[in-house]
Amino acid sequence: MQNGLVRFFEIALIATVVFLNGWLIQTPLPDDWGTSELDKYSQAVGDVAFLDAYLKRNPNSWEACFARAQAYAINGIWSEVASNCDSAISLRSVMSGNKPEPKIYRLRLKALYELDDNQAALKDLDFLMQSENAKSEDLAFHSLIKRRLGQTDQALDEANQAIFRDAKCAEAYLSKAWVLLDLNRTKDAFENAYQACKLKPNLVMPYVIMAAVFNEKGETAEALVQCKNGLLCDATCGAVYWQRGVAEDKQQKFEDALTSQNMALSLATSNDIRAQAFAARAVTLSHLNRSELASEDCDRALALDPGNAIAKAVKQQLRQDN
Amino acid sequence: MKSNGRAIPRNNDESTFATDSRDLPLYPVSLLLVPFMVLTAVLADQVYRYRDFINYDCAFYLLCSKLLLSGLQPFEHFVDLLPPLIFYFSVPPWWFSNLTHVPIESTWSILVAAAVVASGLSAIFVLRNAVNVAVRDWLLIGPLLCGFMLFNLIVFFHFGQREHLFVLTLFPIFLLRWLRWTSSLSERFETSIPILSTVLGIACGAAVFVKPQLLLLLIAIEMSLSANSPHRTQWRSILPTSEVKALASTLIVCAICSLFIPNIGEYWNRWVPFLLNGYPAFNSPSLLEFSLPDGHMIGNRYIAFGICALSAILLKRCSLCAPLLAWTLSGLLVYMIQGRGWAYQSIPFVSGYVLLISVVVGIVVTSFLDFLGRTSKVSYLNKFALFYSGFDRVGSRAGAEPGTETEPQAQTQPVLTSSDMTKFATISFILFAAAMIPLNSILFKNSMVTGRAFNLLDGLLERETKPGDKVVVLHTALPHAHQFLLKRKLIPACRYIWCFPLRMTGFLRDGESGTPMAEFANTEENKVVDEIRRDIEKTQPKFVIIEAWHSGPTGWNLYQSLETHQFTKNALKQYVPYGECDNCAVWKLEEPKR
């Protein structure tokens, strides 16, 4: 009897220590080495994997949700960024006595902007503007969204305010450059884009704006150089292909231009770029005398952006030709 | 007291023995079975919790084997760089899945878990036939098996990878070879399950054939075992045993079978030269991080290398250290030779490392007990120290004929019961397992906590496709494409399910023109792009999705690379640009106008 008990205790002890090993080996602990040396993709993968496991054990941690959103943002998986920010915000709001955390709203609005969900992004921006934590970067985003929504004057005003607040905010110059480009003030647009580029060389959009200005001036070779620079920053940016197509169209390489506009459309994430690419493709198609297709593209562009001047002009031209 | 298969010298007391290695009882079965069952239960829980999870490469084999089952042929309808026999080996999981209606990804995990159990049970069976083992080796049998089971827990992100399956087949063979070279295998082994060694040899041979570079591990382990064996002069009888013969025969049979694989000429004539030249395109500059693209398993690598160095110091303390060090270092060598830095390629190294750690920790624990025994006045510990030091005496005359020196010395030795020895084994095992608890987090990482496949494109494909639809996903590093195609039952409609060749041609050209290599790369690239175009034209997939981000440090980009051949203009005539999704360019088949 006593031997049996001892044996049972012995086996239970063996099972317990072995189980503890098995259990602990699956428990996430902070990855304390080497991640800084990894490329950004591997780092983000490791972070997300770790946080997945961590959140299973700590489902109420808003910090972990936010950290996961940041990890997804490294690779531009914006839908995941937005949903993780949602979770972080709701978890934090449940915890009594905690004020809303601006950095979560800031990241979510960036994700929403990338996902072309302008109204939702505006809500987050309004929240940030009302709080005391608004930064120049927030104003710049506000300006960008207002521009997308066609409120050009307000957009310009906010971009100026953002620059006034922080003269080293690249996003502020970028938003101002966009608005000025819309207003056909190409020289000013170029200067602001150039400034943004100097402040943050890895931003792709300043290259797009500079290419657009060169295209306006008919300096297509220069425009193509800017497109090449832009693609080195971000090969998935449809807007770069849009301007490359415009330059190729001006060089009368219509087939190449058509390809570039198709690539722009295959990579477009927002309706403003989509509308511009459809309009630019309509121009090229009209040059190729494919009027019916050009007209269809004009309709698509106008459906996305009723104020698109190029689409209107091409449509008008096509009507006259017929 | 069970007999260990040899005649055991007995004293007057029926259950007392002198501390000669020949007199050791069989290693306590509870120290083998209890850890095995507990860790198998933990593994089963892991399999259940991650029942929807499947590794990208495993999903790739299964996708290709499904294409085989539907009558398609390798190198015509799907292409890979490694010997294509793996696709045929991946057919049986489909039979099980179809028979049981369990989803294929769960079937895969269950079958791999079954392989872990089979490997563990084979190892236990082999270890239960260990006789005449030196005391210090005998005490490490439990820690070694426990280490093997722990390894299977950290490897789950790569569960069923070729390297993992290789380790599962290698472990029992390793134990078998270790016992053969130390003349510690019971005669009973060959008679009780005579076919086991042959089966183990066949399994290991098949695993080696699908990744031939792993043969290096087998050679290194065998050389280490023979070099450290007192019986190395008897190699003529130790080498040609049933498992070795089975392994060699399996390699030959697999090679012959491969000759009958359809289009195998294409593999040897086109893809092997291409692979030899172009595979460095995927090389990583940071090999020793063991972490690309995801799912690393090594904890602090400096400690890891420190332990390997420590084991080199302990070589003479235990006959397991040298072969395990050979396993670890040859695993590292194979990993380095491949040059990718991908975490799963470090599996052979990591498995050796985990086993080595188990042995090193076991040695430290038993040495500690020995030290306590020598310095304290606790009689039980004194007994342990005497038991433990018996090794030196026996070890120093290893190879001597039994009976020549033992008899006179045995008279002066303390008498230990078999129950004492079993208790010593139990105590040292419990201490080993307790010591491993805090060390776990420093020494290992669970690959499920360091690896994650982002569910890219899931939303789009879920919304826009139905099972059975054809899609083309052209990618070189999209971590989720294969799994999603498999789970969603989508049909890959282009032979380049993994579009590796274009990255290789880009690497081979590397900005040069006119050189023979650049010419070769241009010719191959034109051919590959043309094949993709023809596949799309023929199969008319609903979506063509192309990876558009920069891959690798050179900034190479698949979409741009394809576009240098006017791909969208020539191959996607019937497609309309759909828009970007998860950094991929998406094209959709144009619906006919009404």
Side-chain angles (χ1 to χ4, degrees):
Chain A
M1 179 63 183
Q2 198 186 356
N3 275 350
L5 270 175
V6 170
R7 190 89 191 111
F8 175 78
F9 175 73
E10 204 175 87
I11 286 175
L13 190 62
I14 294 166
T16 307
V17 282
V18 169
F19 173 76
L20 280 174
N21 271 287
W23 181 72
L24 266 174
I25 217 162
Q26 299 178 79
T27 307
L29 287 165
D31 204 350
D32 55 350
W33 66 275
T35 45
S36 59
E37 296 166 44
L38 304 180
D39 68 5
K40 69 170 189 175
Y41 174 74
S42 297
Q43 190 179 336
V45 169
D47 288 349
V48 171
F50 166 71
L51 290 163
D52 279 350
Y54 181 86
L55 276 162
K56 272 189 186 156
R57 290 196 163 81
N58 305 280
N60 295 324
S61 166
W62 70 267
E63 290 97 337
C65 281
F66 179 60
R68 192 163 62 176
Q70 285 176 308
Y72 273 120
I74 291 174
N75 283 337
I77 304 172
W78 300 111
S79 52
E80 293 289 346
V81 176
S83 76
N84 277 283
C85 284
D86 288 345
S87 308
I89 288 169
S90 65
L91 284 171
R92 194 174 154 83
S93 70
V94 172
M95 293 161 70
S96 55
N98 272 325
K99 278 199 275 185
E101 179 61 54
K103 65 183 178 187
I104 312 176
Y105 287 87
R106 198 162 282 130
L107 183 60
R108 186 170 71 174
L109 90 86
K110 192 173 180 205
L112 293 169
Y113 177 80
E114 295 289 346
L115 292 168
D116 208 21
D117 193 348
N118 300 311
Q119 294 302 337
L122 263 186
K123 271 188 195 168
D124 278 356
L125 270 169
D126 288 340
F127 167 80
L128 284 170
M129 307 290 253
Q130 283 160 18
S131 74
E132 292 162 5
N133 296 295
K135 286 184 178 178
S136 163
E137 200 185 322
D138 302 331
L139 274 170
F141 258 112
H142 212 253
S143 161
L144 280 172
I145 294 174
K146 291 280 176 187
R147 178 199 155 256
R148 268 190 184 171
L149 298 172
Q151 299 165 13
T152 318
D153 293 341
Q154 215 177 330
L156 185 60
D157 187 39
E158 280 175 357
N160 280 327
Q161 277 183 50
I163 293 170
F164 179 73
R165 208 180 262 210
D166 179 5
K168 289 192 174 173
C169 177
E171 286 80 5
Y173 290 101
L174 174 64
S175 59
K176 186 170 175 184
W178 267 125
V179 182
L180 291 169
L181 187 69
D182 289 348
L183 295 170
N184 262 334
R185 289 165 58 184
T186 50
K187 196 182 164 198
D188 294 338
F190 186 88
E191 277 171 10
N192 279 280
Y194 184 72
Q195 190 64 24
C197 200
K198 259 172 58 181
L199 289 164
K200 251 191 197 174
N202 59 346
L203 274 182
V204 61
M205 282 303 179
Y207 294 106
V208 175
I209 294 169
M210 289 194 283
V213 173
F214 280 124
N215 275 330
E216 276 292 313
K217 292 201 288 190
E219 296 173 19
T220 50
E222 280 298 317
L224 288 174
V225 170
Q226 296 305 329
C227 291
K228 201 175 169 188
N229 291 338
L231 285 176
L232 288 174
C233 283
D234 181 2
T236 63
C237 179
V240 181
Y241 287 103
W242 158 50
Q243 278 309 316
R244 192 173 86 175
V246 173
E248 287 161 345
D249 182 82
K250 284 182 189 284
Q251 290 179 343
Q252 301 200 337
K253 295 175 183 168
F254 299 126
E255 288 297 335
D256 289 347
L258 208 54
T259 301
S260 290
Q261 297 306 350
N262 279 331
M263 287 181 82
L265 287 165
S266 72
L267 289 169
T269 51
S270 64
N271 281 340
D272 57 339
I273 298 298
R274 214 169 268 132
Q276 300 278 25
F278 274 128
R281 193 169 75 173
V283 173
T284 306
L285 287 168
S286 70
H287 288 146
L288 287 166
N289 292 325
R290 289 152 81 174
S291 313
E292 199 180 327
L293 291 174
S295 177
E296 280 176 17
D297 273 0
C298 287
D299 292 341
R300 288 186 187 120
L302 290 168
L304 293 165
D305 174 14
N308 191 299
I310 295 170
K312 280 181 186 170
V314 175
K315 190 94 182 161
Q316 180 73 18
Q317 184 66 42
L318 288 171
R319 272 202 209 107
Q320 283 173 4
D321 291 349
N322 288 334
Chain B
M1 178 64 208
K2 286 180 188 172
S3 161
N4 59 9
R6 290 177 64 111
I8 298 167
R10 288 160 191 258
N11 287 359
N12 291 338
D13 178 350
E14 203 174 75
S15 61
T16 58
F17 305 89
T19 55
D20 190 305
S21 67
R22 288 173 299 132
D23 308 332
L24 286 170
L26 290 177
Y27 192 77
V29 72
S30 61
L31 296 182
L32 296 173
L33 278 182
V34 173
F36 172 75
M37 287 192 296
V38 168
L39 294 176
T40 300
V42 176
L43 182 68
D45 171 61
Q46 206 169 31
V47 169
Y48 178 74
R49 274 191 290 133
Y50 298 108
R51 56 192 172 280
D52 296 336
F53 175 82
I54 185 163
N55 176 270
Y56 30 74
D57 280 357
C58 303
F60 179 62
Y61 323 142
L62 289 168
L63 270 178
C64 294
S65 58
K66 192 181 179 188
L67 294 177
L68 275 179
L69 284 172
S70 58
L72 302 180
Q73 292 188 348
F75 306 109
E76 192 183 334
H77 300 105
F78 57 90
V79 173
D80 190 31
L81 288 172
L82 288 165
L85 216 56
I86 183 70
F87 303 121
Y88 291 86
F89 290 154
S90 305
V91 166
W94 284 106
W95 297 337
F96 281 102
S97 176
N98 293 337
L99 199 71
T100 57
H101 301 289
V102 174
I104 186 69
E105 58 276 12
S106 307
T107 305
W108 179 258
S109 294
I110 291 166
L111 289 177
V112 178
V116 173
V117 171
S119 176
L121 286 175
S122 308
I124 290 173
F125 184 76
V126 172
L127 290 170
R128 287 290 290 168
N129 282 279
V131 293
N132 206 17
V133 180
V135 173
R136 292 184 184 183
D137 293 340
W138 185 78
L139 287 168
L140 296 172
I141 286 176
L144 190 67
L145 184 78
C146 186
F148 171 70
M149 293 308 290
L150 286 175
F151 158 74
N152 284 298
L153 291 178
I154 63 170
V155 82
F156 201 81
F157 189 76
H158 311 288
F159 211 56
Q161 272 280 19
R162 285 159 291 192
E163 282 82 354
H164 180 218
L165 296 177
F166 167 74
V167 171
L168 294 183
T169 62
L170 177 63
F171 184 62
I173 286 257
F174 167 82
L175 296 173
L176 193 53
R177 299 303 298 162
W178 169 60
L179 294 180
R180 284 201 197 277
W181 278 107
T182 51
S183 282
S184 309
L185 190 66
S186 148
E187 287 158 12
R188 199 183 58 168
F189 177 79
E190 301 292 4
T191 51
S192 49
I193 310 185
I195 204 167
L196 182 66
S197 53
T198 307
V199 170
L200 293 176
I202 290 170
C204 194
V208 168
F209 191 83
V210 295
K211 207 126 194 200
Q213 56 267 48
L214 297 173
L215 192 62
L216 196 66
L217 268 94
L218 291 175
I219 294 168
I221 292 169
E222 195 67 13
M223 283 173 71
S224 158
L225 283 168
S226 63
N228 289 290
S229 168
H231 312 288
R232 57 181 166 272
T233 50
Q234 297 163 24
W235 64 271
R236 278 175 213 279
S237 62
I238 298 173
L239 208 57
T241 47
S242 48
E243 69 276 9
V244 176
K245 283 180 194 163
L247 194 152
S249 311
T250 307
L251 288 175
I252 294 165
V253 169
C254 285
I256 293 168
C257 287
S258 291
L259 297 175
F260 297 99
I261 292 175
N263 311 312
I264 193 69
E266 168 116 349
Y267 176 69
W268 288 107
N269 298 328
R270 183 180 174 193
W271 294 111
V272 171
F274 194 20
L275 168 73
L276 292 175
N277 290 312
Y279 208 24
F282 291 93
N283 276 5
S284 160
S286 47
L287 273 181
L288 291 179
E289 280 159 16
F290 304 105
S291 50
L292 300 171
D294 41 29
H296 61 277
M297 292 154 282
I298 297 279
N300 187 309
R301 60 198 146 145
Y302 302 112
I303 295 179
F305 288 123
I307 286 176
C308 292
L310 178 65
S311 69
I313 299 166
L314 298 172
L315 284 183
K316 291 205 182 294
R317 306 272 294 186
C318 156
S319 70
L320 279 164
C321 277
L324 284 177
L325 191 62
W327 177 334
T328 310
L329 294 180
S330 55
L332 183 64
L333 184 66
V334 168
Y335 169 79
M336 303 283 277
I337 289 170
Q338 292 176 93
R340 304 295 95 74
W342 293 339
Y344 78 84
Q345 291 182 347
S346 71
I347 288 174
F349 161 67
V350 173
S351 55
Y353 163 73
V354 176
L355 296 174
L356 197 60
I357 281 175
S358 306
V359 165
V360 168
V361 173
I363 291 173
V364 170
V365 163
T366 46
S367 301
F368 176 68
L369 283 175
D370 177 42
F371 171 77
L372 285 181
R374 287 171 195 274
T375 53
S376 78
K377 287 182 181 172
V378 181
S379 64
Y380 205 77
L381 287 170
N382 296 154
K383 251 184 175 179
F384 180 86
L386 289 166
F387 170 62
Y388 195 63
S389 60
F391 173 84
D392 291 329
R393 182 182 51 74
V394 175
S396 65
R397 56 167 180 71
E401 283 301 312
T404 52
E405 291 174 47
T406 318
E407 302 305 334
Q409 285 188 16
Q411 291 166 9
T412 60
Q413 284 171 41
V415 174
L416 293 170
T417 63
S418 66
S419 158
D420 284 334
M421 296 184 208
T422 303
K423 274 179 188 150
F424 292 151
T426 307
I427 290 166
S428 51
F429 180 83
I430 290 172
L431 281 178
F432 152 79
M436 287 295 284
I437 292 171
L439 292 176
N440 268 330
S441 57
I442 305 166
L443 300 173
F444 318 119
K445 294 273 178 211
N446 179 2
S447 56
M448 282 309 273
V449 182
T450 57
R452 169 75 145 84
F454 294 148
N455 298 341
L456 302 179
L457 302 172
D458 273 20
L460 169 79
L461 290 173
E462 226 164 62
R463 222 173 30 244
E464 299 278 354
T465 61
K466 57 182 188 309
D469 278 350
K470 289 176 181 165
V471 293
V472 166
V473 184
L474 294 171
H475 75 100
T476 60
L478 196 65
H480 190 55
H482 305 152
Q483 296 95 310
F484 192 81
L485 295 180
L486 185 77
K487 288 182 194 174
R488 183 79 180 156
K489 298 187 173 71
L490 297 172
I491 299 167
C494 168
R495 71 190 73 187
Y496 297 104
I497 299 173
W498 177 42
C499 194
F500 61 87
L502 295 184
R503 186 152 160 189
M504 290 191 187
T505 53
F507 165 79
L508 290 174
R509 205 168 33 239
D510 198 22
E512 290 179 29
S513 58
T515 61
M517 195 50 81
E519 288 301 316
F520 169 75
N522 286 336
T523 313
E524 273 303 325
E525 191 166 300
N526 290 336
K527 206 171 166 184
V528 169
V529 175
D530 193 50
E531 282 165 343
I532 297 173
R533 181 187 59 75
R534 279 191 280 124
D535 284 350
I536 291 172
E537 271 175 13
K538 192 173 151 193
T539 55
Q540 301 268 302
K542 196 169 179 182
F543 278 98
V544 176
I545 298 166
I546 309 166
E547 175 189 286
W549 66 77
H550 290 308
S551 303
T554 54
W556 181 85
N557 179 297
L558 179 59
Y559 199 26
Q560 288 173 358
S561 172
L562 282 167
E563 208 39 54
T564 56
H565 299 267
Q566 298 192 309
F567 181 77
T568 52
K569 186 177 158 189
N570 297 328
L572 303 176
K573 285 176 203 154
Q574 291 166 281
Y575 289 78
V576 287
Y578 182 87
E580 189 247 38
C581 179
D582 291 334
N583 297 323
C584 294
V586 181
W587 291 72
K588 190 178 181 185
L589 186 65
E590 197 168 20
E591 284 167 16
K593 286 178 184 170
R594 289 174 189 170

